[in-house]
Amino acid sequence: MKDLTQGSIPKHLIAMAIPMMVGMFVQTLYFLVDLYFVGKLGGAALAGLSLAGNAMFLIFALTQILNVGTAAAISHAVGRKDKIDANLIFNQSMMASSIVGIIVCIAGYFGASSYLNMVSQDLDTVGAGLSYLNWFIPCMALQFVMVSISAALRGTGVVKPTMLVQMISIIINIILSPILIEGWGTGYAMGIAGAGFASSISVVCAVIILCFYFKKSEKYISVDFSLWRPNTASLKKISSIGLPAGGEFFLMFIYMGMIYWLIQRFGADAQAGFGLGSRIMQSLFLPAMALAFAAPAVAGQNFGAEKFIRVRETFKWSAILTCSLMLILTLVCLYQAEFLVKGFVDEPEVVLISAVFLQMICWNFIPSGLVFTCSGMFQSLGNTWPALISTGTRLISFAVPALWLSQQSDFTIENLWHLSVITVCIQAAVSFYLLRREFRLRLPKEGEGNEIDLEAEKVNIMT
């Protein structure tokens, strides 16, 4: 357990974010390797991977309930020095993750075909997506246990072990991808199915290593099957914080699915181009997200310890660092979009669509950085409903105009990218307003309550 209620806040954020950034850099490398080999299989395979990959937003919605709820509840318990409650929450989270993982595995195999046929009219694309999902669904199911363990450790201020495990998992995936997709060294090429199989094998390895680490090393929280009996109060605590955060990703699943549905009239190349551009964008976001993900643990412990000035300072530094990184990424996409894209696919139309997407969508990177930061702060305060409201605002402000535009004779795919930039700016403004409101409601003004001396804290922050 690491005490984040003392010392420099920027140093805590950076110290926690660096191992996350390293892990996410390796994850970015995995995304790029996966895109490279699948891209060589053609536009239909790339579109199928993109459509199947969008299903991960639905999994993210479910895992985020456990992720955010577990991390926030445990960080509050750690701030109160309540080890018993921290262990109870962790074990309840593990119990829930095991049950949900089994349900997802069953539902995935029965519902994959229906989902793919709904968002694409191209038979080759649907076939490729189904081949991928049949081997990728075990990876989806195992995400729940891995997320519960990682969130629990993050709530106690420990991030390095999970980042190391994640890196090992991704390296395994990177090694297996060319072997299974193209048959390197075996002579048996599985095609796009190999990409899904590589991911599932790597996650199995990650779960085994994490369980071994917990058994041998972790002392503050531990697996205790006697605590797996459903505890209504603990499950309610996890879900009340996590459900709105999960709702955010569910709305993103709807948002991405809607775009795929709207652009299917432009063919498989359009879906492949959007999918490629989206994956590259998500890869670029990972370092900035690492900073935003570090904030809930830092702010959460200080909120639990009633050190409210440090909560506000955590937001300030997280926003500055995250948005600065997003500015750099904006400039990269503006001037090097084609360079980022053309190494992954040989089809000129797909390259063009992806490059244009990145050049236009990058204008929402800085507002997205602010959204990430605000979302992290909502988690730390134990109220993630404002983040869900913010995401809902974006979905509604996008969906209604997008459906109207799609009915016009001069509708183009670029109309959607312009609309997306506008709606993310609206979301950022709503998020910032709601966070300021939460601060007024939940954090006493400086000098009130149990707050520490402001001048002493300034000295702490600088040192």
Side-chain angles (χ1 to χ4, degrees), residues 181-420:
I181 295 172
E182 295 201 342
W184 284 13
T186 66
Y188 178 70
M190 294 180 65
I192 192 173
F197 191 28
S199 296
S200 292
I201 292 174
S202 67
V203 172
V204 168
C205 294
V207 171
I208 292 172
I209 295 171
L210 274 175
C211 291
F212 180 80
Y213 167 81
F214 246 82
K215 184 176 180 181
K216 295 294 183 181
S217 302
E218 182 56 32
K219 301 294 186 247
Y220 196 82
I221 52 176
S222 59
V223 176
D224 183 350
F225 290 111
S226 67
L227 298 177
W228 281 42
R229 187 174 182 177
N231 181 285
T232 304
S234 296
L235 291 174
K236 184 177 179 181
K237 186 182 298 183
I238 293 171
S239 60
S240 64
I241 299 173
L243 271 172
E248 284 187 77
F249 277 93
F250 180 72
L251 293 180
M252 286 303 299
F253 168 72
I254 296 175
Y255 167 78
M256 295 291 287
M258 182 179 181
I259 292 179
Y260 280 118
W261 180 73
L262 288 171
I263 67 176
Q264 63 181 314
R265 70 180 69 179
F266 300 109
D269 284 348
Q271 291 187 322
F274 169 63
L276 176 59
S278 296
R279 281 224 168 190
I280 291 174
M281 179 185 71
Q282 291 163 13
S283 300
L284 293 174
F285 275 7
L286 291 176
M289 290 174 70
L291 282 165
F293 288 169
V298 178
Q301 283 196 23
N302 283 285
F303 181 72
E306 299 186 357
K307 297 188 175 183
F308 302 122
I309 291 177
R310 290 177 64 85
V311 176
R312 290 189 173 93
E313 288 292 328
T314 301
F315 167 69
K316 181 185 77 173
W317 283 106
S318 180
I320 290 172
L321 294 171
T322 302
C323 291
S324 297
L325 273 176
M326 286 298 198
L327 173 60
I328 296 171
L329 296 176
T330 300
L331 296 175
V332 170
C333 287
L334 276 176
Y335 297 105
Q336 297 296 330
E338 187 174 346
F339 172 78
L340 293 173
V341 169
K342 63 183 180 181
F344 298 103
V345 64
D346 298 325
E347 299 178 29
E349 185 66 20
V350 176
V351 170
L352 177 62
I353 292 171
S354 294
V356 171
F357 168 79
L358 287 174
Q359 288 174 332
M360 297 176 68
I361 212 72
C362 68
W363 291 105
N364 72 20
F365 283 9
I366 294 176
S368 294
L370 183 59
V371 171
F372 293 154
T373 303
C374 291
S375 181
M377 294 304 299
F378 290 134
Q379 294 172 27
S380 69
L381 297 175
N383 180 19
T384 52
W385 285 103
L388 180 60
I389 293 170
S390 167
T391 304
T393 301
R394 178 190 178 186
L395 179 61
I396 293 170
S397 61
F398 176 85
V400 176
L403 290 171
W404 179 81
L405 287 169
S406 68
Q407 303 302 312
Q408 308 308 306
S409 59
D410 58 348
F411 173 63
T412 66
I413 196 170
E414 287 80 10
N415 294 150
L416 297 179
W417 312 155
H418 285 123
L419 183 60
S420 180

Side-chain angles (χ1 to χ4, degrees), residues 1-3 5 68-90 151-152 154-157 220-221 234 237-238 241 296-297 299-306 379-380 382:
M1 191 274 286
K2 185 176 181 180
D3 187 358
T5 63
V68 173
T70 301
I74 288 180
S75 70
H76 291 174
V78 171
R80 298 191 307 268
K81 313 301 182 189
D82 189 346
K83 184 177 179 178
I84 294 175
D85 190 43
N87 267 283
L88 177 59
I89 291 168
F90 167 63
R154 192 170 70 254
T156 64
Y220 196 82
I221 52 176
S234 296
K237 186 182 298 183
I238 293 171
I241 299 173
Q301 283 196 23
N302 283 285
F303 181 72
E306 299 186 357
Q379 294 172 27
S380 69

